[in-house]
Amino acid sequence: MDARRGSGADGTAGASRIANVSGAVLLGGRSTRMGRDKARLVWRGEALAVRAARLLDALFEETLLVGGTPPEQAPGRRVADPEGPACALRGLVGALEAAQGERVLVIATDLPLLPLDLLLALLAWPERDVVVPKDERGDHPLCAIYRPEACLARARAHLEGGRLAISALLDAVDTERVSLATLGLEDLAARALANVNTPEDLARLEVA
């Protein structure tokens, strides 16, 4: 599969989108530190959830909006979180359950500087149960590619058993952890994977 096929002049994928990989934006979360719904935070004139959904919609035939209440402008199919405690793992289970693709590229809604080049590099990497980027802060499982066939049953079992850290799931399946340099993206600063948990985080990235 050529993840760059159909690229348009604006750098996004054109009419020929990828069919065998689904995209999923995780919108859930209590946003207690932010104090308001992060999916609706406006970043440079656009809600974070809309930006994330459009990024995936440019690449994939199927984009899922998992949990939360996405803005109306966000493209994609709405998917409710499954039963269980509020956590990222619950959203991941919802994405893996709903996806029709053989693999699912999952991203969090709160990654305002996430570049298309990183998603394309992950898609081009040899397939594993999980392909997850890493930097000096560690793994970034909310910007990663998952194979539902290998991951869904274990993710459900972890959710039901209270093992809520996605890192435990990564350790239980065949996971490839790749640095930005290994992906050929050493020119990307670490802020490419920076998320916003607080108003201070948002203010810092606004001037990045």
Side-chain angles (χ1 to χ4, degrees):
M1 176 191 68
D2 182 359
R4 295 179 184 269
R5 65 180 179 174
S7 288
D10 62 353
T12 60
S16 181
R17 295 180 297 174
I18 299 167
N20 64 345
V21 182
S22 300
V25 184
L26 301 192
L27 302 170
R30 291 170 292 182
S31 301
T32 51
R33 285 187 286 169
M34 180 61 70
R36 51 196 171 124
D37 184 1
K38 288 193 286 187
R40 294 176 178 273
L41 284 176
V42 175
W43 169 261
R44 297 176 181 172
E46 188 173 52
L48 287 181
V50 174
R51 180 192 184 278
R54 286 179 174 165
L55 194 62
L56 297 184
D57 187 60
L59 288 173
F60 306 115
E61 289 188 4
E62 177 178 65
T63 296
L64 306 173
L65 306 173
V66 185
T69 306
E72 290 184 4
Q73 306 95 315
R77 174 160 60 94
R78 275 61 173 166
V79 175
D81 277 326
E83 292 296 322
C87 60
L89 180 62
R90 183 176 71 164
L92 177 60
V93 169
L96 298 181
E97 287 178 339
Q100 298 176 6
E102 298 168 8
R103 297 186 294 157
V104 188
L105 198 163
V106 174
I107 65 173
T109 193
D110 62 347
L111 299 169
L113 296 176
L114 183 64
L116 180 65
D117 282 350
L118 176 53
L119 304 186
L120 292 171
L122 291 173
L123 288 166
W125 194 259
E127 295 185 19
R128 304 286 287 272
D129 293 346
V130 183
V131 179
V132 58
K134 67 177 182 179
D135 59 19
E136 66 275 5
R137 292 169 293 166
D139 298 335
H140 290 269
L142 297 188
C143 176
I145 301 181
Y146 295 81
R147 260 197 331 123
E149 182 180 3
C151 299
L152 179 53
R154 286 184 180 272
R156 280 178 179 150
H158 283 205
L159 184 63
E160 293 168 2
R163 298 183 65 191
L164 304 183
I166 296 182
S167 58
L169 174 65
L170 300 187
D171 291 338
V173 297
D174 181 20
T175 296
E176 178 84 4
R177 295 169 168 87
V178 286
S179 67
L180 295 181
T182 303
L183 289 169
L185 299 172
E186 58 273 9
D187 56 323
L188 288 183
R191 65 178 181 269
L193 287 164
N195 62 337
V196 291
N197 290 313
T198 67
E200 291 75 22
D201 290 340
L202 187 65
R204 262 195 310 273
L205 291 183
E206 282 283 8
V207 297

